[in-house]
């Protein structure tokens, strides 16, 4: 785990939901943080290198751009977990993939341009892995707002 | 969303550079001004094509390592009410209703991220107390095989 000072924490809290949309966003941020832009960029570079920041970019609303997505849970035998996770990851449309402690032990999300394509990918995965899986598309959305409160 | 917007999203989806003018190269490639790039991003956000423009955090790297998917068995007629209560917890980052299956009775999903497993368990207990839902699981992620943003 990396060490963060108070300025780092302020940066991490600011860039998630309040990244300024501006031609010179880091300059604007540096005013808010009370440090020079040079120092901010240096810190950002380090936070990226250390894995605290993955990227700054658009969080695309799949549904709104015409796409569709789902969550899939799959039962993989213990001995084949790595192999099956790799098969799943090979699909570019898979955005998240986790091992979880449960009977359904591999959980991944898939987004595709349309329903047909999404079903195709799920069918392919069922065939490729030979594992039982359940398709869990969102029926109702109550909240989506990932913001990590960095303490 | 026009073709320029689509290209703009494709050019920024892997992240902008951390420099004084992060939109300069993109604006050149699209043949529009940097101001227009920023305006288009604002417009995409306003129209809901993007949820936000900002950072994705490597929460594990900074110690937020407990990541629990809580799955709840909620009576169908209570989903609306219970979902709203769960979404109200700040520790809950996502809350969805999903279908049930014969071997999977859990229909409400909440993601809880925190520094420790104990924190996650505490939040789940609080949610259970607030909603009266007692049939639930905490599925911790043991390994991350992949995590990318949704791509165009």
């Amino acid at each position: 785990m990396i060490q963060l000072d108070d300025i780092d924490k302020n940066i991490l809290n600011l860039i998630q939901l309040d990244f300024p949309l501006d031609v010179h966003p880091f300059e604007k941020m540096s005013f808010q943080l009370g440090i020079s832009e040079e120092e901010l960029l240096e810190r950002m570079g380090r936070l990226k290198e250390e894995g605290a920041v993955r990227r700054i970019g658009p969080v695309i609303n799949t549904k709104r751009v015409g796409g569709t997505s789902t969550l899939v849970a799959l039962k993989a035998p213990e001995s084949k977990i790595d192999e099956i996770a790799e098969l799943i990851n090979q699909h570019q449309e898979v955005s998240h993939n986790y091992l979880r402690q449960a009977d359904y032990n591999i959980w991944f999300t898939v987004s595709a341009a349309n329903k047909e394509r999404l079903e195709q990918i799920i069918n392919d995965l069922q065939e490729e892995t030979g594992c039982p899986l359940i398709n869990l598309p969102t029926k109702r959305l109550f909240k989506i707002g990932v913001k990590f409160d960095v303490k | 969303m026009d073709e320029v917007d689509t290209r703009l999203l494709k050019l920024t989806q892997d992240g902008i550079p951390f420099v004084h003018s992060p939109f300069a190269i993109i604006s050149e490639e699209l043949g529009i001004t940097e101001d227009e790039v920023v305006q288009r991003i604002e417009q995409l956000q306003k129209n809901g094509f993007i949820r936000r423009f900002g950072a994705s955090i490597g929460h594990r790297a900074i110690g937020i390592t407990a990541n629990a998917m809580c799955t709840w068995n909620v009576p169908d007629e209570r989903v609306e009410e219970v979902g709203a209560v769960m979404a109200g917890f700040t520790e809950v980052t996502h809350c969805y209703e999903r279908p049930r299956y014969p071997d999977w009775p859990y229909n409400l999903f909440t993601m809880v991220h925190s520094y420790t497993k104990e924190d996650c368990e505490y939040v789940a207990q609080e949610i259970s107390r607030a909603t009266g839902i007692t049939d639930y699981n905490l599925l911790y992620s043991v390994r991350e095989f992949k995590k990318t943003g949704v791509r165009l």
Side-chain angles (χ1 to χ4, degrees), chain A residues 19-22 56-59, chain B residues 5 8-9 12 16 22-23 26 30 32 34-54:
Chain A
F19 182 71
L21 279 175
D22 191 273
I56 292 180
V59 177
Chain B
D5 289 326
L8 170 56
L9 288 182
T12 52
I16 56 170
F23 300 110
I26 297 155
L30 295 174
I32 59 177
E34 290 171 70
D35 277 315
E36 194 183 336
V37 172
V38 171
Q39 281 160 16
R40 279 181 179 266
I41 294 172
E42 275 170 354
Q43 215 47 42
L44 286 167
Q45 192 167 330
K46 212 170 137 197
N47 294 329
F49 293 109
I50 61 175
R51 297 185 191 279
R52 62 186 167 91
F53 192 96

Side-chain angles (χ1 to χ4, degrees), chain A residues 8-26:
Chain A
D8 291 331
K9 290 176 189 172
N10 289 342
I11 293 172
L12 290 173
N13 283 323
L14 191 66
I15 57 177
Q16 296 181 72
L17 293 188
D18 302 310
F19 182 71
L21 279 175
D22 191 273
V23 172
H24 305 299
F26 298 105

Side-chain angles (χ1 to χ4, degrees), chain A residues 1-2 4 12 15-17 19 21-27 37 41 44-45 48 50-62 64-65 71 75 81-82 85 89 91-92 94-102 104 106-107 111 134-151, chain B residues 1 9 12-23 34-35 38 41-42 45 47-59 61-64 67 69 79-80 83-84 87 89 92-99 101 103-104 108-109 111 113 115 139-148 150-152:
Chain A
M1 182 181 151
I2 62 173
L4 303 170
L12 290 173
I15 57 177
Q16 296 181 72
L17 293 188
F19 182 71
L21 279 175
D22 191 273
V23 172
H24 305 299
F26 298 105
E27 185 180 52
E37 185 183 15
L41 293 175
M44 292 287 305
K48 175 99 196 265
E50 293 176 329
V53 176
R54 289 174 192 266
R55 63 175 190 111
I56 292 180
V59 177
I60 294 167
N61 182 345
T62 319
R64 186 75 174 85
V65 298
L71 172 72
K75 275 184 195 170
I81 283 173
D82 287 294
N89 278 358
H91 290 261
Q92 201 220 304
V94 171
S95 55
H96 299 72
N97 187 7
Y98 295 98
L99 179 66
R100 297 188 185 276
Q101 257 164 347
Y104 282 103
I106 299 187
W107 292 75
S111 6
I134 48 176
N135 182 10
L136 299 160
T138 303
K139 285 172 75 179
R140 222 178 313 189
L141 170 67
F142 291 99
K143 186 177 191 179
I144 178 167
V146 184
K147 197 237 169 192
F148 298 104
D149 198 9
V150 184
K151 292 172 194 162
Chain B
M1 231 173 84
L9 288 182
T12 52
Q13 65 186 356
D14 290 324
I16 56 170
F18 302 160
V19 295
H20 180 61
S21 303
F23 300 110
E34 290 171 70
D35 277 315
V38 171
I41 294 172
E42 275 170 354
Q45 192 167 330
N47 294 329
F49 293 109
I50 61 175
R51 297 185 191 279
R52 62 186 167 91
F53 192 96
S56 304
I57 293 295
H59 52 93
I62 56 171
I64 304 179
N67 151 5
M69 183 158 92
V79 167
E80 188 75 54
F89 279 78
V92 170
T93 56
H94 301 69
C95 182
Y96 303 101
E97 183 195 5
R98 300 185 183 280
Y101 285 87
D103 63 343
W104 185 261
L108 267 185
F109 286 63
M111 289 299 311
H113 291 88
Y115 286 88
L139 279 67
Y140 292 102
S141 65
V142 188
R143 272 166 69 193
E144 180 180 291
F145 296 122
K146 191 175 193 180
K147 185 177 192 284
T148 58
V150 171
R151 297 176 57 85
L152 271 193

Side-chain angles (χ1 to χ4, degrees), chain A residues 24-40:
Chain A
H24 305 299
F26 298 105
E27 185 180 52
K28 212 166 175 183
M29 260 181 74
S30 72
F31 298 147
Q32 281 170 272
L33 291 161
I35 57 176
S36 70
E37 185 183 15
E38 197 185 1
E39 183 184 345
L40 173 61

